[in-house]
Amino acid sequence: MLWLKALHLIFMVTWFAGLFYLPRLFVYHAMSDDSISNERFKVMERKLYYGIMTPGMICTFIFGVWMLGDYAWMLYSGSGWLHLKLALLGLLVVYHLVCGKWLLDFKHDRNRRSHVYFRWINEIPVLFLFAIVLLAVIKPF
């Protein structure tokens, strides 16, 4: 079980690294004004989203569901913290998919948002990380 938890955490860190970095790339991409930079950011964003973030998310869920099935659901299914954590994870997946939509907007040169917008968006995963980790560690209710 400790191996499952370790792998779950490793892939969660991988996923969050991408969730922190992709909006930062969007900040720089929104500020770029030359075609070379524009194309470079498109490649970086695509590789981060499809090569790191999405596999990290999938593996996080695989090992998380495995732990739920093996023991966690039986122990904590009546606990409010687990349900709240799962709801937050659902919202985090929505955020991930919205990042994918923004990636496509940049890919097709359709972005209309400013670098300031993406600076604010870049803070959202921090809130999710705090809430999810606190719920999982403290198990408040």
Side-chain angles (χ1 to χ4, degrees):
M1 206 47 57
L2 292 178
W3 280 101
L4 290 179
K5 190 179 285 189
L7 290 169
H8 176 68
L9 289 172
I10 289 166
F11 287 110
M12 184 269 309
V13 169
T14 302
W15 182 25
F16 266 94
L19 290 171
F20 289 143
Y21 190 49
L22 186 63
R24 180 55 51 183
L25 286 176
F26 292 157
V27 168
Y28 300 137
H29 197 161
M31 293 171 56
S32 70
D33 55 2
D34 62 284
S35 62
I36 293 172
S37 295
N38 191 35
E39 293 306 313
R40 182 180 303 125
F41 283 120
K42 287 178 185 181
V43 170
M44 292 170 67
E45 292 159 358
R46 179 181 48 81
K47 287 182 177 183
L48 179 61
Y49 188 82
Y50 294 108
I52 296 172
M53 283 174 64
T54 301
M57 178 186 69
I58 291 168
C59 291
T60 298
F61 275 90
I62 288 170
F63 292 110
V65 169
W66 192 345
M67 285 189 300
L68 276 174
D70 273 1
Y71 76 96
W73 189 255
M74 183 176 55
L75 289 175
Y76 302 116
S77 63
S79 301
W81 72 266
L82 180 60
H83 297 282
L84 183 54
K85 178 187 172 195
L86 294 173
L88 289 172
L89 287 171
L91 290 173
L92 194 60
V93 169
V94 170
Y95 178 82
H96 180 103
L97 296 173
V98 170
C99 282
K101 189 248 183 248
W102 289 324
L103 177 125
L104 292 176
D105 287 346
F106 277 110
K107 175 183 177 182
H108 298 295
D109 299 316
R110 295 187 307 231
N111 176 55
R112 302 292 176 248
R113 303 197 186 275
S114 73
H115 66 93
V116 175
Y117 175 82
F118 289 112
R119 286 181 196 277
W120 283 103
I121 291 300
N122 192 44
E123 303 307 320
I124 291 173
V126 174
L127 302 174
F128 278 103
L129 180 65
F130 268 87
I132 291 167
V133 169
L134 289 174
L135 286 169
V137 172
I138 297 171
K139 299 173 180 52
F141 48 92

